[in-house]
Amino acid sequence: MSQMNIAQVDLNLLKTFEALHDESSASRAALRLGVTQSAISAGLRRLREVYGDQLFVRTGRGLAPTLRANQLKPLISEALDRCRQSLAMVNPDNQQYQGRSVVLGLSDDFEIAYGRRLMDEITRRAPRLRVIFRQTHSQIVAGALLERTLDLAITAGGFAHSRLSRQVLGEGDYRCLVDADQPSMSLDEFVTREHVLVSSGGFIGITDEGLAAQGLSRQVCASTSHFAALPFLLKGSQAVATIPGHAAEVIGAMTGLRVLACPLALPRYPIELGWRTQAQLDPLLLKVREAIVASFTWSPPSTC
């Protein structure tokens, strides 16, 4: 890339880059920015000249970022975020959030149990703001926040990084879901039944660890990475799923599955909200954080 003074660069190109990276499509980027597709194409040509790289290449599924584009994304997003923060400081009480969005990372157990409440609380504080729920978990959340693919995240930990801040929202436990009309389950019955495991990719869950500590084991008949699949996997079977209590209660209330106390003593875990420390004073993110805290002071209805 030739030497170039920032005075020679149209900074609107950075918005074009961000939209292309997020949308993977020139037409969707155009809709997002309210410009023509030809304007996006012209902007991409200019971006390629500025950075000396293709940046986005056409594939069968749209535009894919190159390695250089992925390296540039967190830097460009940070620059644009700083600009947005500076404008928000002019009028922190501004209620015009049309066209703005916040990306909230969480696993689908939290989305199922708290998603609707989060939407209501965020709308109350920031009308017309779009909240984007994006799947994450504690093992990958720090990287996603630092890479700016997430603005905020709710997980069971994972924020132990010098550039991240966190706040404890509550404490979680585990309960069992079954398709049976019974008030309780003994440990003996628990061990003899087949189990459905919800895991982001592993073969061993916390239930297996708890059983192993007592010299016991279980038979897992199926694994899934989505809590939302459980009603379809459990209905009409004798299988049991041991999952976070907040998700068990909501799934049980909506599907008729029975929620039982887990007969195996499992450790409770912290539910935490995390964000980049650098964004600590962003007025918009402060409002969203307030909404999240308010959502977690409300508990899903109990069906026990």
Side-chain angles (χ1 to χ4, degrees):
M1 181 181 68
S2 60
Q3 292 295 319
M4 185 171 292
N5 191 302
I6 193 171
Q8 300 173 288
V9 180
D10 179 359
L11 295 183
N12 281 315
L13 291 174
L14 301 186
K15 292 170 60 180
T16 299
F17 176 94
E18 182 183 56
L20 284 168
H21 198 286
D22 288 347
E23 303 297 341
S24 301
S25 162
S27 59
R28 290 197 295 270
L31 284 172
R32 172 168 163 170
L33 296 178
V35 299
T36 64
Q37 188 169 337
S38 61
I40 294 294
S41 297
L44 178 54
R45 286 195 298 272
R46 184 64 179 137
L47 282 164
R48 286 167 171 165
E49 294 172 4
V50 170
Y51 289 108
D53 187 86
Q54 282 290 96
L55 296 178
F56 301 95
V57 295
R58 191 166 300 283
T59 70
R61 302 185 65 180
L63 295 174
T66 64
L67 175 61
R68 175 57 59 86
N70 284 331
Q71 292 171 336
L72 290 169
K73 178 59 164 63
L75 300 174
I76 289 175
S77 289
E78 180 178 354
L80 290 172
D81 284 347
R82 290 295 183 89
C83 291
R84 292 173 183 128
Q85 289 176 35
S86 71
L87 293 172
M89 290 173 66
V90 175
N91 183 7
D93 297 321
N94 175 46
Q95 294 293 307
Q96 298 302 315
Y97 296 100
Q98 178 73 36
R100 299 192 64 185
S101 62
V102 167
V103 183
L104 175 60
L106 71 178
S107 51
D108 73 322
D109 57 318
F110 289 122
E111 190 173 348
I112 289 167
Y114 292 98
R116 180 68 255 177
R117 179 75 174 181
L118 285 165
M119 292 164 62
D120 292 342
E121 292 289 347
I122 290 171
T123 297
R124 189 171 295 120
R125 290 165 175 79
R128 305 184 75 81
L129 175 72
R130 177 186 298 192
V131 58
I132 300 171
F133 295 131
R134 187 164 291 167
Q135 291 292 296
T136 193
H137 55 78
S138 59
Q139 295 177 0
I140 64 172
V141 68
L145 282 167
L146 294 172
E147 292 167 6
R148 296 178 174 272
T149 58
L150 301 176
D151 295 310
L152 300 156
I154 301 167
T155 68
F159 302 114
H161 191 284
S162 61
R163 291 164 57 195
L164 299 179
S165 296
R166 58 183 169 176
Q167 176 179 351
V168 175
L169 297 171
E171 192 176 61
D173 65 355
Y174 294 93
R175 296 174 212 175
C176 295
L177 271 181
V178 295
D179 186 23
D181 186 13
Q182 62 184 94
S184 63
M185 181 182 296
S186 68
L187 183 58
D188 287 341
E189 183 183 358
F190 181 78
V191 171
T192 57
R193 285 205 185 201
E194 289 186 322
H195 290 250
V196 175
L197 169 66
V198 182
S199 171
S200 60
F203 287 90
I204 301 298
I206 192 169
T207 302
D208 299 288
E209 296 174 351
L211 288 170
Q214 299 190 35
L216 301 171
S217 63
R218 63 175 177 169
Q219 175 62 42
V220 174
C221 61
S223 298
T224 178
S225 58
H226 301 289
F227 290 88
L230 284 176
F232 306 97
L233 301 179
L234 293 176
K235 278 288 188 178
S237 79
Q238 293 297 307
V240 56
T242 305
I243 65 172
H246 53 263
E249 294 292 352
V250 172
I251 292 173
M254 294 187 69
T255 65
L257 292 172
R258 184 78 175 186
V259 181
L260 304 178
C262 183
L264 177 68
L266 295 174
R268 297 175 71 88
Y269 55 90
I271 301 170
E272 296 182 334
L273 168 64
W275 63 91
R276 289 181 299 280
T277 303
Q278 196 175 62
Q280 188 94 0
L281 299 180
D282 183 332
L284 176 57
L285 292 185
L286 281 171
K287 288 189 176 185
V288 177
R289 280 165 46 199
E290 290 173 1
I292 292 170
V293 171
S295 298
F296 276 79
T297 61
W298 166 86
S299 297
S302 175
T303 60
C304 289

